Amino acid sequence: MWRSGDGALAAGAPVTNDGCPSVPHFAEPVTVVRDDADALVAWLAAGTPVLRVARADGLGKRDDKSTLFTAETVQDIGVHAYYDILRIAPTGRPWSVWVFFTEHTREFAGWYVNLEDPHARDEHAVYTRDHVLDLEIEPDRTMTRKDEDELALAVAQGRYDAATAAAIEAEAAEAEAIVADWGPPFCDGWENFQPDPAWPVPGLPERWAL
Ligand code: MG
């Protein structure tokens, strides 16, 4: 189970135990591809049921950015859609690299660096917390920062202090340098990954039913 923090953008307090969800947060059942000292590699298939966070007022999570980090939230269940994602979480690093494949066709659609807390792992789950800022890398290796405006809103709305936001920007620069050098995991051929067709799509525990 890939578990992220609370709040509409998963940037809140990390959920640190594997009991029933106590606060609205994100949890995605994944298939473990590799789990060793270097990294956790996990497959999130389109069609997988997931826990996600929704605004209590019924608006979409980005419909009112003036309350992006302050709106009351509720637990929601949805289905992961549009892309199959291979996630590579290098041990001890503040990000995971997501390799996107278009749903159904499995066509490679690009990379993403999701800046997030270094990952805690146990036998059941990986625990992290989103850092709002992300990097998008096109199949032609064109790279852009995503959601810089939301990082500024996170400071304005009290989620981060200025020093935390600056540290996140430094993490982004560190990841950008790896992309510029085309270091691991980008050079490791994961864009050619194919899941075992026998893998079932994992589900959420029944005790998490809303
Ligand atoms: Mg992110």
Side-chain angles (χ1 to χ4, degrees):
M1 195 69 67
W2 190 294
R3 304 185 73 170
S4 307
D6 66 15
L9 298 183
V15 173
T16 54
N17 70 70
D18 200 34
C20 284
S22 53
V23 294
H25 73 288
F26 292 78
E28 295 145 326
V30 293
T31 301
V32 176
V33 175
R34 215 184 83 189
D35 185 6
D36 58 27
D38 295 333
L40 170 71
V41 182
W43 176 253
L44 173 59
T48 301
V50 295
L51 284 191
R52 62 189 181 192
V53 174
R55 290 176 63 116
D57 59 14
L59 292 177
K61 68 180 178 182
R62 290 185 162 89
D63 284 353
D64 175 14
K65 285 201 173 185
S66 73
T67 55
L68 190 58
F69 293 94
T70 57
E72 193 184 331
T73 59
V74 292
Q75 188 71 70
D76 186 25
I77 287 181
V79 175
H80 173 73
Y82 308 119
Y83 294 98
D84 300 302
I85 302 177
L86 185 77
R87 289 186 181 163
I88 304 149
T91 300
R93 307 310 292 274
W95 57 71
S96 58
V97 174
W98 299 6
V99 191
F100 283 84
F101 303 89
T102 303
E103 185 175 11
H104 305 306
T105 67
R106 283 268 153 74
E107 189 184 353
F108 169 63
W111 292 268
Y112 194 91
V113 177
N114 199 60
L115 300 173
E116 58 196 20
D117 276 7
H119 308 81
R121 285 143 67 182
D122 64 22
E123 61 188 305
H124 302 296
V126 56
Y127 306 90
T128 186
R129 166 171 52 168
D130 196 81
H131 288 181
V132 181
L133 191 63
D134 309 293
L135 305 180
E136 278 183 330
I137 302 119
E138 303 292 332
D140 69 2
R141 303 187 186 182
T142 307
M143 173 169 58
T144 49
R145 285 192 184 190
K146 179 174 173 287
D147 296 339
E148 287 179 291
D149 63 320
E150 294 183 357
L151 185 62
L153 288 173
V155 176
Q157 295 173 21
R159 169 63 68 192
Y160 296 144
D161 59 23
T164 302
I168 290 170
E169 289 185 321
E171 291 167 0
E174 198 183 331
E176 283 166 342
I178 293 170
V179 175
D181 291 345
W182 211 244
F186 301 97
C187 59
D188 292 338
W190 289 109
E191 69 274 22
N192 300 314
F193 178 78
Q194 299 276 351
D196 183 333
W199 287 348
V201 173
L204 292 168
E206 259 175 50
R207 66 183 190 281
W208 288 7
L210 299 180

